[in-house]
Amino acid sequence: MSGIAPLLDGTVVASAAAALFLAPRVLRRNAPAGRKGASFGPEPVLAAVVALVYLNQVLVAVHVNRVHHGDVSFITRYLPPGWFDVPRLDSLAAHFPAPELLAPSVLRVQAFLELPLVLLAFVAVVRRLDGALYVRLARSPLIPLAAASYTVAFCAVEWDLRNPYTVDDLVLRAIAALLTPPLIARLARHEPPPEAEPARNPFRFALDLWAYGQLMLVMYDTALLYNLARLGDHLPSAAAALAVLVATRAVPSRTPHPPGPHTAALAGTIGRALALFLVPALAIRYAETFGTPELAALAGILVIGAAARRDALLLLLPALPGAAVGYAVAAFAPGPYYEATLLRSATGALLATTAVCALLDTTRTRLVVRS
């Protein structure tokens, strides 16, 4: 167990308790009215943050190759294996002026960008499911609480991997925690008035969830670990994920007809799960590795249980094949690491559950018509 385990475990308990207390209250509120004007949601800002992350990776490569002559041991001695596979970029590095001024590109710039990257990605996924839910969450206390919880988790891991830049990183992460929630709330103020009763499309959301998750995994492999030299290996999967996000834009997020009871129950449970996981998500993930895995698992089960409690009877039968598919994917087609396996398993489970819900609703409709 890591020395930061007590801090992460405490964050898991506090953030899960806060989510279980506040998220139901946020969900019961009507979405705040937005201002007039066009709204593009969080995705353009998220794309800008992604661009800044990759721009910083290029600057890291210039700095490493010009100032440290390609030797990354000055920083990798403080980190676990698998970091800083930096490309040479000889032409750019040779002509870049004052490369020594790029020293902050190593760890510090990214320390500031990671929180907005993660939170903007989360609310962008929520908006793909339901714009009203996005507005509720973005303009609620859950976002500042999530920023605080994520920052504690980031800083705990930062401290566990102490290096000469750690103090700078902690300060930058604290600044990002103060600036990111107002930014997300501001973006949500321009969202158009939501429909009273959204009929969400769980199938489209499952595809969107996979695509966003896949893009985040590509970023993790190539940018967040400073492995820009590996970007070429990940371009096909990134292109596939982007193609899915573009394609699902053409699929209505709301079904043209009122959904059946099983599909409606699944969509509602997904929305509640997103709201409940918003605050403790990162603490639960890091506690799996640096804290107490059993506590993290218990917190996750409590959150899922709270999300599914209202519609447990309707979802019990569809959840069984969904769980079986999720387990089979994890057992027989695991990813290269935990997050990749989790994404594959969750996507398979959600698609299977959605299909069974649709089948049950279709069967029910046919029986009603015949009777």
Side-chain angles (χ1 to χ4, degrees), residues 33 92 125 130 162 188 206 210 269 314 346 354 357:
L92 176 62
V125 169
D130 181 358
R162 289 186 293 281
W210 173 85
T269 297
L314 282 170
T354 301
C357 285

Coordinates of all heavy atoms in Angstrom, one line a residue, residues 33 92 125 130 162 188 206 210 269 314 346 354 357:
A33 N -32.3 28.3 -16.5 CA -32.5 28.9 -17.8 C -31.2 29.4 -18.3 O -30.5 30.1 -17.6 CB -33.6 30.0 -17.7
L92 N 12.8 21.0 -36.3 CA 12.2 22.0 -35.5 C 13.1 22.3 -34.3 O 13.3 23.5 -34.0 CB 10.8 21.5 -34.9 CG 10.1 22.5 -34.0 CD1 9.8 23.8 -34.6 CD2 8.8 21.8 -33.4
V125 N -19.4 14.4 -22.3 CA -20.0 13.1 -22.4 C -21.5 13.2 -21.9 O -22.4 12.6 -22.5 CB -19.2 12.0 -21.6 CG1 -20.1 10.7 -21.5 CG2 -17.9 11.7 -22.3
D130 N -27.7 14.0 -22.5 CA -28.8 14.8 -22.1 C -28.4 16.3 -21.8 O -27.6 16.5 -20.8 CB -29.5 14.2 -20.9 CG -30.8 15.0 -20.4 OD1 -31.1 16.0 -21.0 OD2 -31.4 14.6 -19.5
R162 N 7.4 12.3 -6.2 CA 8.1 13.5 -6.0 C 9.3 13.7 -6.9 O 10.0 12.8 -7.2 CB 8.5 13.7 -4.6 CG 7.3 13.9 -3.6 CD 7.8 14.2 -2.2 NE 8.5 13.1 -1.6 CZ 7.9 12.0 -1.0 NH1 6.5 12.0 -1.1 NH2 8.6 11.1 -0.5
A188 N -22.1 26.5 -19.7 CA -23.5 26.0 -19.6 C -24.5 27.1 -19.6 O -25.7 26.8 -19.9 CB -23.6 25.1 -18.3
A206 N -23.9 4.9 -25.6 CA -22.8 3.9 -25.5 C -21.7 4.1 -26.5 O -20.5 3.9 -26.2 CB -23.4 2.5 -25.6
W210 N -17.8 5.1 -25.6 CA -16.6 4.4 -26.1 C -15.7 5.4 -26.8 O -14.5 5.3 -26.6 CB -17.0 3.3 -27.0 CG -15.8 2.7 -27.7 CD1 -15.0 1.7 -27.1 CD2 -15.2 3.0 -28.9 NE1 -14.0 1.4 -28.0 CE2 -14.1 2.2 -29.1 CE3 -15.5 4.0 -29.9 CZ2 -13.2 2.3 -30.2 CZ3 -14.7 4.1 -31.0 CH2 -13.6 3.2 -31.2
T269 N -31.1 5.6 -15.3 CA -30.1 5.1 -14.5 C -28.7 5.6 -14.9 O -27.9 6.0 -14.1 CB -30.1 3.6 -14.5 OG1 -31.3 3.1 -13.9 CG2 -29.0 3.0 -13.6
L314 N -37.0 -3.2 -13.1 CA -37.0 -3.2 -14.5 C -35.7 -3.5 -15.1 O -35.7 -4.1 -16.3 CB -37.4 -1.8 -15.0 CG -38.9 -1.4 -14.9 CD1 -39.2 0.1 -15.2 CD2 -39.7 -2.3 -15.9
A346 N -17.1 -2.0 -20.0 CA -18.3 -1.2 -19.8 C -19.1 -0.9 -21.1 O -20.3 -1.0 -21.1 CB -17.9 0.2 -19.2
T354 N -28.6 -2.5 -23.3 CA -29.5 -1.7 -24.2 C -30.2 -2.6 -25.1 O -31.5 -2.4 -25.4 CB -28.7 -0.6 -24.9 OG1 -28.0 0.2 -24.0 CG2 -29.6 0.2 -25.8
C357 N -33.0 -4.4 -23.3 CA -34.1 -3.5 -22.9 C -34.9 -3.2 -24.1 O -36.2 -3.2 -24.1 CB -33.5 -2.2 -22.4 SG -32.8 -2.3 -20.7

